[in-house]
Amino acid sequence: MRGIVRYELRMRWRSWRYWIVFLLASALALFMPTPLNYPGPDDAPKFFSSWWMASQAFSGLTLLMTLLAAFLVADRIVRDTTLRTRESIKVRAVGEAEYVLGKYLASLIALALIAGPVFVGIPITKWVITSTLMNLWSLLAVFLTMYLPPMAFVAALALTATTLLENPRPFYIPFAILWFFDSMRFRLLNSWIRGVFNFSGASPFQAFFSSVVLFMANDPQMPQMSPAVAAANISFLLFTSALLLVALVYFEKRRRGAWRRTGAEGR
Amino acid sequence: MQIQVENVTKIYAGEIVGVKDINLEIGNGMFGLLGPNGAGKTTLMRMIATLLKPTVGDIHVDGHSVQADSMAIRRMLGYLPQDFGVYPNLTAREFLDYFAILDGVKDASKRKEAVERASDIAGLSAVENRKLKTFSGGMRQRVGIAQAFLRSPQLLIVDEPTAGLDPEERIRFHNLLSEISGDRLVILSTHIVGDVETTCNDMAIIKNGSLLVRSTPPKLIERVQGKVWEVIAADEALEDIKRRHRVISVVRKVEGICVRLLAEKRPTENAIAASPTLEDAYVYFVGGVNEHVGPE
């Protein structure tokens, strides 16, 4: 599987679409917790909190990437048909599970790497503004809880849906609508149902990070979220991702069987 | 290497018959499967390549059934599909390395060896570090041959490999296939008679899913000996000739229209017996250019 991941990543890096998203996402993530976005002198204390800077950077990045990730990942399996490599792959020894997981992991790694500039840019920003070192654990914790689970979910959803539809296009608009309603509830997570069933990264943000930043914890407008709900949200995203991938492997196996029986590709 | 196709029928969804009741035995060497578009060649190729399962009957490759033991067949198979595509952002070398990984070759040094050997066979060594998006159609077909050769297959199936290639590339491709056939079984599926004529020592013609004839190219040519004629005709006589005989080709020359046709006996007094080619034999068996001819 490592080989599949390596080459899928290589192909990803050689695509201009990936670099456009990379630059766009990096620019937004680096803008969010900097004085450019908070120019007033009263806001200066914010920059003393590593947790605040990390969660600000990743809330912007997650919001944008839950949309763009789907567009980046959607065609990863379907394009083997459009590029006409699929038939040559089907006669090889690779199994469906290895093939699907290789594509999925490569997509997830590519999405995770988009957060790379945040890990470099935010500590530098903090050093320049406050002459203090960044608490790197804050960046890692926010990345692992707020960014990665939604990415895992979106990548699995995009891969499965587009493979089932055999075309990425019918997926884009319904997904964009779903994303809009999901992300626009960012400030409205006032019930545990909404807290668990969302992929905006808002639940861990409110449960884990806003509470450790003093002025955010004291903000009456900030909805309260229990860590249990946030943990349930992360579990939901990871479990659903796994379920979608199992369904995708099953579908690929079944499709190979069906294709064999009916020869859907014609004579 | 031996392939046995036993009473094979393939019926697609909607009761469309791909091939019906085909029996065929193929041994080592270059085997040509000839037939018009939609004849069922690709269906038969895909069944041998384990991509499709027969609805009725079975195919055995060196004793392994496509129904029961497709993995064993895949291990000895190289396949160049009719519609072969590449990843444009990879170099030829990377593409082949990736496909070797998909073949299950985990050891990097073994993979390197396999890629170099396959590149060498397909004549890609000089361009293997170029991105595939810069390759011409002919060069891409070479990559197709190289990927089919990664496993040093005993059975190589190439489906319509010269479609879209320019004449020079076609000749180069024919030579390549002849060179690599050696002690292997190479099945060449095509609707281009010239491809089979120049490369194959054994062949079959298929039409409407059925096997029409199984022979060698010289024997097939022999069977139309004395049935191919050339007639110089006036413009106004052409329609009449077309109505009465199966016309293979029409060429305008200085002295009139030269019509090459099939007839059991001399069609006109000025007709000259022509030495037959495989194309004449193909037209004779398949039904020909103007199929609806009257009685001779």
Side-chain angles (χ1 to χ4, degrees):
Chain A
M1 193 188 304
R2 268 188 313 170
I4 300 176
V5 172
R6 195 170 72 235
Y7 275 105
E8 283 294 324
L9 271 176
R10 199 173 290 188
M11 285 186 257
R12 196 74 286 202
W13 289 331
R14 289 178 187 172
S15 152
W16 56 267
R17 272 198 302 176
Y18 179 76
W19 289 107
I20 287 178
V21 171
F22 184 89
L23 292 173
L24 196 69
S26 302
L28 180 79
L30 294 175
F31 172 75
M32 290 295 281
T34 58
L36 291 168
N37 196 31
Y38 297 90
D42 294 345
D43 292 320
K46 287 177 180 174
F47 303 109
F48 287 101
S49 168
S50 293
W51 290 100
W52 179 85
M53 289 185 83
S55 56
Q56 279 305 108
F58 275 106
S59 66
L61 188 65
T62 307
L63 187 70
L64 182 69
M65 285 309 297
T66 41
L67 176 67
L68 297 185
F71 288 81
L72 273 184
V73 168
D75 70 340
R76 290 296 93 185
I77 289 179
V78 177
R79 84 190 175 121
D80 282 355
T81 305
T82 50
L83 288 175
R84 295 172 286 118
T85 54
R86 198 166 182 76
E87 209 170 325
S88 323
I89 292 171
K90 272 174 188 255
V91 294
R92 311 202 106 80
V94 66
E96 282 85 358
E98 193 179 346
Y99 174 72
V100 164
L101 284 180
K103 295 252 181 194
Y104 175 73
L105 279 180
S107 302
L108 196 56
I109 292 169
L111 295 175
L113 289 172
I114 286 178
V118 174
F119 282 90
V120 180
I122 300 298
I124 292 172
T125 306
K126 187 165 165 54
W127 173 254
V128 169
I129 300 166
T130 66
S131 301
T132 57
L133 291 174
M134 181 87 187
N135 172 4
L136 289 177
W137 166 241
S138 65
L139 275 174
L140 191 64
V142 178
F143 168 77
L144 289 175
T145 55
M146 214 172 125
Y147 181 74
L148 217 48
M151 289 304 114
F153 170 76
V154 170
L157 178 68
L159 272 185
T160 308
T162 54
T163 308
L164 280 168
L165 294 166
E166 294 182 350
N167 184 358
R169 285 194 186 125
F171 168 74
Y172 292 146
I173 291 175
F175 178 77
I177 294 168
L178 177 71
W179 170 84
F180 178 79
F181 284 109
D182 187 71
S183 58
M184 288 307 113
R185 293 185 317 196
F186 186 78
R187 289 264 163 198
L188 302 171
L189 292 173
N190 49 9
S191 79
W192 70 267
I193 294 175
R194 284 182 177 177
V196 173
F197 301 109
N198 75 84
F199 59 97
S200 64
S203 298
F205 174 77
Q206 287 165 15
F208 301 139
F209 309 119
S210 64
S211 59
V212 296
V213 180
L214 196 59
F215 66 87
M216 286 167 91
N218 295 332
D219 184 350
Q221 286 190 319
M222 185 67 77
Q224 296 303 303
M225 179 72 61
S226 77
V229 170
N233 171 249
I234 293 170
S235 306
F236 159 73
L237 292 173
L238 297 179
F239 179 72
T240 314
S241 308
L243 216 59
L244 284 166
L245 289 175
V246 169
L248 180 54
V249 171
Y250 171 75
F251 174 70
E252 279 287 287
K253 276 182 192 275
R254 226 188 68 163
R255 193 166 67 163
R256 181 181 270 194
W259 189 71
R260 277 183 171 180
R261 280 196 302 277
T262 65
E265 295 192 8
R267 298 165 95 187
Chain B
M1 172 65 59
Q2 187 85 15
I3 295 176
Q4 278 129 359
V5 181
E6 295 153 359
N7 308 316
V8 164
T9 295
K10 176 71 195 175
I11 299 168
Y12 291 116
E15 297 304 306
I16 298 163
V17 178
V19 294
K20 54 188 175 212
D21 201 24
I22 290 201
N23 286 285
L24 203 56
E25 263 190 39
I26 311 169
N28 273 356
M30 284 282 298
F31 180 84
L33 187 64
L34 202 56
N37 290 329
K41 302 185 297 292
T42 298
T43 298
L44 188 56
M45 294 298 97
R46 280 179 173 161
M47 284 194 285
I48 298 172
T50 74
L51 286 166
L52 285 175
K53 281 195 172 176
T55 314
V56 179
D58 203 354
I59 298 170
H60 286 90
V61 180
D62 243 11
H64 301 283
S65 157
V66 292
Q67 301 268 24
D69 201 5
S70 56
M71 258 320 181
I73 297 173
R74 285 178 189 185
R75 278 193 281 273
M76 56 178 118
L77 170 73
Y79 178 53
L80 173 59
Q82 182 177 4
D83 223 8
F84 174 71
V86 294
Y87 294 117
N89 282 332
L90 292 183
T91 66
R93 191 185 183 89
E94 288 169 339
F95 183 83
L96 294 174
D97 187 50
Y98 184 34
F99 271 52
I101 289 167
L102 296 177
D103 276 337
V105 186
K106 298 224 179 331
D107 188 297
S109 61
K110 281 187 185 158
R111 235 172 30 239
K112 190 176 172 221
E113 208 176 286
V115 168
E116 278 170 5
R117 191 187 54 243
S119 286
D120 221 34
I121 287 167
L124 284 169
S125 303
V127 291
E128 64 182 15
N129 291 318
R130 258 175 56 190
K131 284 211 179 142
L132 290 167
K133 63 182 167 193
T134 66
F135 278 30
S136 65
M139 294 301 282
R140 281 184 190 207
Q141 286 299 73
R142 279 168 177 258
V143 177
I145 278 286
Q147 64 82 27
F149 248 86
L150 280 168
R151 282 171 285 198
S152 292
Q154 283 308 296
L155 167 62
L156 180 67
I157 297 174
V158 285
D159 193 0
E160 302 278 4
T162 59
L165 297 189
D166 63 39
E168 199 182 343
E169 285 285 5
R170 266 181 66 189
I171 293 166
R172 213 176 288 156
F173 200 82
H174 290 159
N175 294 340
L176 180 63
L177 283 181
S178 301
E179 278 167 31
I180 61 184
S181 58
D183 57 350
R184 293 182 171 88
L185 200 173
V186 180
I187 304 180
L188 167 67
S189 159
T190 182
H191 65 279
I192 302 167
V193 182
D195 285 357
V196 173
E197 194 165 24
T198 49
T199 54
C200 297
N201 54 337
D202 195 3
M203 65 174 289
I205 298 177
I206 184 172
K207 188 188 176 188
N208 294 335
S210 298
L211 193 68
L212 290 183
V213 63
R214 163 70 200 279
S215 190
T216 63
K219 278 185 183 161
L220 224 54
I221 292 169
E222 208 179 289
R223 282 173 72 171
V224 289
Q225 190 75 46
K227 292 173 182 164
V228 184
W229 305 88
E230 280 186 356
V231 179
I232 302 291
D235 278 13
E236 51 274 20
L238 185 59
E239 280 311 307
D240 184 49
I241 292 173
K242 276 186 178 174
R243 231 181 359 260
R244 291 173 52 222
H245 302 287
R246 190 177 292 160
V247 173
I248 299 162
S249 67
V250 177
V251 180
R252 190 170 287 278
K253 289 184 175 173
V254 183
E255 59 270 32
I257 297 172
C258 180
V259 185
R260 191 178 177 93
L261 55 85
L262 286 166
E264 293 295 330
K265 53 188 182 192
R266 189 183 292 271
T268 58
E269 275 182 16
N270 68 339
I272 301 163
S275 59
T277 63
L278 191 61
E279 196 165 62
D280 301 328
Y282 175 76
V283 173
Y284 180 79
F285 286 106
V286 168
V289 180
N290 59 340
E291 205 167 347
H292 306 290
V293 291
E296 288 171 29

